[in-house]
Amino acid sequence: MLLRSGQRLAAQEEAGRTAVPRRRSRARSDPLAGFPDEILQQEILPRLPAKSMIRCRAVCRSWRSLASDPAFLLDHHRRQPALPLISSCRISVDGSDRGLESRLSAIHLRSAKLGPSFEFPFRGSFGVVASCDGLFVVGSYIICNPATHEWATLRQDAKPIENLFALFRHQPSGEFCVMYWKNNSMELICRQEYYILTVGTNNSWQVDCPLTEVLAEEPSIFGAPVLLNGSLHIHWRRRSDVRYHRIRVFDTVAETSRQMRPPPVNPRHVMHLLDLGGKLAASTSKDGMTGMSIFVLQDPEHDVWAFQYRIKLPVMEIRRFEEQGDWWAKVVSEEGDVLFSCYGHLLQYDKKGNLVRKFMYDDDMPVVIPHRFKESLIQHTFFQKTKKN
């Protein structure tokens, strides 16, 4: 009897010793066990890049469900940084075909690293003509989301749209629209007619002419319109010898436009409109390179601008790039980061003129385009229609 009791006791002790490691093994295999779901879903996952978030869908059913929730996807988009875009071209060789191949990449200013680079469902030379909420309009008829590799035609009938200059989200309906203009030779005062098209449809309509005071001059839009509080802020420049800077504000809800007074700058100086932390701003310089001044719109109702700060770039250091051809410098962040591009080089400076990083481009001319990329995984119906077809 004692022998049998001892055997049972030993067996129970052995079972106890083998049960504990199994629980520890499960804990080691699941490092997130016991981690609060609220912090994980509200603070950590929304900050992941789109590529990492897509991979998270394969972790478990709850994460897959979360990654498909419209509210979560909107929060994820809001948490993503707005990255400057760099466009460049290279000669592509594919068998017997030769031509220019466009490349597009983003730059992370805080880490001073290039990436991601974007791939499109077509090859050759192309340009981003408009952008909004992580979507690009490429060429005259394609809209795409580089984060999800989805694309569709702007119009349902796939016809191209010439002179397109803006993409925006219509706030009341939530639909995406593009704005473009057409020439009307029958008009004497305003020869341009302005239209809005709902993306993914053939539904377009005419809006009021915002340039009646220019008297039949073709619009020259400088840079990309800045969308703030439902209004497009469009920078117009005259093509003739008499130069000026004009800002037109188009209310995308009321579909009305007005002229805004620009900051107090020399009409012959270079000016770029910017979105700095949700406020309309303008960077100005005499030669487009040295001594940039930043103005911020303080009172939108009365068009009151205020001088914010001045950026000085190292002139002597930059002058050595002049012999290599053209160069440009653009302010690309609220903190005053400047990207300087010339043949074969892209230089990143801070607002004090200190060199942060130098990027090399072999036999190439990088160009800082006036668009930003903010990754989005939000689903859109016009992409879903393309998948079905």
Side-chain angles (χ1 to χ4, degrees), residues 98-157:
R98 292 177 177 268
L100 288 178
E101 183 177 345
S102 297
R103 293 184 295 176
L104 189 66
S105 59
I107 180 171
H108 292 266
L109 298 173
R110 300 283 69 83
S111 60
K113 293 182 179 179
L114 282 177
S117 297
F118 306 109
E119 297 181 356
F120 296 93
F122 40 86
R123 300 187 63 182
S125 181
F126 60 86
V128 176
V129 298
S131 64
C132 179
D133 291 348
L135 304 180
F136 293 159
V137 173
V138 182
S140 59
Y141 70 101
I142 290 178
I143 185 170
C144 61
N145 184 347
T148 59
H149 301 285
E150 296 173 301
W151 69 277
T153 55
L154 288 170
R155 291 177 56 96
Q156 190 175 19
D157 57 14

Side-chain angles (χ1 to χ4, degrees), residues 130-367:
S131 64
C132 179
D133 291 348
L135 304 180
F136 293 159
V137 173
V138 182
S140 59
Y141 70 101
I142 290 178
I143 185 170
C144 61
N145 184 347
T148 59
H149 301 285
E150 296 173 301
W151 69 277
T153 55
L154 288 170
R155 291 177 56 96
Q156 190 175 19
D157 57 14
K159 291 183 179 179
I161 302 176
E162 303 296 337
N163 303 318
L164 188 152
F165 61 89
L167 171 69
F168 62 92
R169 183 175 176 272
H170 187 243
Q171 290 184 346
S173 65
E175 296 178 323
F176 279 85
C177 301
V178 292
M179 192 172 184
Y180 60 100
W181 58 271
K182 293 181 180 180
N183 274 321
N184 185 352
S185 58
M186 302 300 294
E187 288 285 343
L188 297 178
I189 296 180
C190 183
R191 292 187 177 181
Q192 285 74 44
E193 296 176 342
Y194 293 81
Y195 293 86
I196 292 177
L197 169 80
T198 301
V199 174
T201 72
N202 295 330
N203 181 28
S204 63
W205 62 95
Q206 187 176 354
V207 295
D208 69 320
C209 177
L211 286 180
T212 54
E213 71 276 13
V214 179
L215 298 179
E217 185 175 21
E218 243 185 47
S220 179
I221 302 174
F222 194 75
V226 176
L227 180 62
L228 289 172
N229 301 319
S231 293
L232 288 169
H233 300 78
I234 308 166
H235 181 195
W236 304 92
R237 295 190 65 179
R238 195 165 187 170
R239 297 180 184 273
S240 58
D241 295 335
V242 181
R243 298 185 181 181
Y244 58 69
H245 294 291
R246 285 181 178 171
I247 302 174
R248 300 297 310 194
V249 183
F250 178 78
D251 189 323
T252 61
V253 178
E255 296 187 0
T256 58
S257 65
R258 70 176 184 88
Q259 182 172 327
M260 171 184 284
R261 185 184 301 112
V265 299
N266 190 319
R268 293 185 174 273
H269 288 185
V270 178
M271 187 177 84
H272 297 274
L273 292 183
L274 307 165
D275 175 3
L276 294 188
K279 290 185 178 181
L280 183 66
S283 68
T284 66
S285 61
K286 181 179 180 180
D287 55 6
M289 183 187 71
T290 60
M292 295 182 173
S293 298
I294 306 299
F295 293 85
V296 175
L297 183 65
Q298 296 290 347
D299 186 352
E301 293 185 1
H302 300 91
D303 300 344
V304 178
W305 296 81
F307 173 79
Q308 197 77 357
Y309 55 84
R310 185 172 176 81
I311 301 174
K312 283 191 175 182
L313 296 179
V315 180
M316 298 305 296
E317 178 181 328
I318 292 179
R319 288 295 182 190
R320 62 190 180 92
F321 292 102
E322 285 186 330
E323 60 185 20
Q324 301 181 22
D326 295 333
W327 37 254
W328 292 272
K330 291 184 180 180
V331 180
V332 291
S333 78
E334 186 176 1
E335 291 76 19
D337 294 284
V338 176
L339 291 179
F340 174 87
S341 60
C342 59
Y343 186 78
H345 296 84
L346 178 69
L347 311 180
Q348 179 182 348
Y349 291 93
D350 61 19
K351 66 185 299 182
K352 296 181 179 180
N354 300 315
L355 180 64
V356 177
R357 183 72 184 272
K358 180 187 294 185
F359 303 95
M360 304 296 291
Y361 284 75
D362 297 333
D363 299 328
D364 209 347
M365 175 66 188
V367 177

